[in-house]
Amino acid sequence: MSGVVVLGGAGGIGSAVVRALSEEGRQVAVVDIAPPPPELAGLPWICGDATDPATVGAAFDALGGVTGLVHCLLSEHRAPFAEQTADALRRVLDIGAVSALEPLQQLAARAGGKPCAAVLVSSIHAGLAWGGQAPYAMAKAALEALGRAAAVELGPRGLRCNVVRPGFVMVPRNAHRWQDTATRDALTTLQPLGELARPDDIARVVAFLLGDQARFVSGETVTVDGAMTAVLPEPSA
């Protein structure tokens, strides 16, 4: 079975994706600025800048054959809208969206016309607005647009591209929220399923979209938020 390159494989969702793919028997190579956690130390792991095409190319080279790509990169610049700067916005866009362009091109080129698949990890922020997060929302919306374009333009070359759009997920970078009892209870009340998502919940969807069972799924954005964004708030009076 050919391998998958995971960009951002040390993060909460990224590491869950790496584990899920490894459990399926896939070969995985990872690019991240952080070193691998102990349980993933045996994998080809490129410690470097995942926005650098040469670094990404080294991950592709580490695998005998590559048929998959997962993009789990993100950046934030939290500030009120009136205080955002163009430089900060460009930085977030470069890491969160522009960085997916060349890896997608590399995947299609290296697959040589054979079937291959990519999954870009977005966020519900791509379709909603939350104070102080304009650059992050823009980057995720741009990432989704790039994924659709890849599906259409690279489809004739055998590449499927889909987007997974998680809601709130219990990952280390937001642990201060879900480890606080009051905040966790407030977040849970927003979930029709009555619980918060774990990284594995997202990873399993990513793994499905990379696999043969999803061979005719392309150009889609799959929301994985437990129906949180499907709720229509009712007025109190």
Side-chain angles (χ1 to χ4, degrees), residues 16-17 37 42 81 97 100 129 145 154 177 192 214 217-218 226 233-234:
V17 168
F81 193 92
L154 300 179
R177 302 186 70 194
V217 180
S218 190
E234 297 184 13

Side-chain angles (χ1 to χ4, degrees), residues 110-184:
R110 289 169 180 265
K114 296 179 180 178
C116 58
V119 177
L120 313 180
V121 179
S122 179
S123 165
I124 58 172
H125 283 264
L128 302 168
W130 190 30
Q133 285 281 58
Y136 181 68
M138 288 181 66
K140 290 304 187 183
L143 184 69
E144 293 188 4
L146 183 67
R148 290 190 295 271
V152 171
E153 296 191 47
L154 300 179
R157 296 172 61 182
L159 186 145
R160 294 187 300 106
C161 187
N162 292 290
V163 173
V164 170
R165 183 191 275 191
F168 184 86
V169 183
M170 293 186 292
V171 294
R173 72 185 183 91
N174 60 29
H176 63 285
R177 302 186 70 194
W178 53 266
Q179 289 180 349
D180 177 78
T181 301
T183 304
R184 178 170 179 148

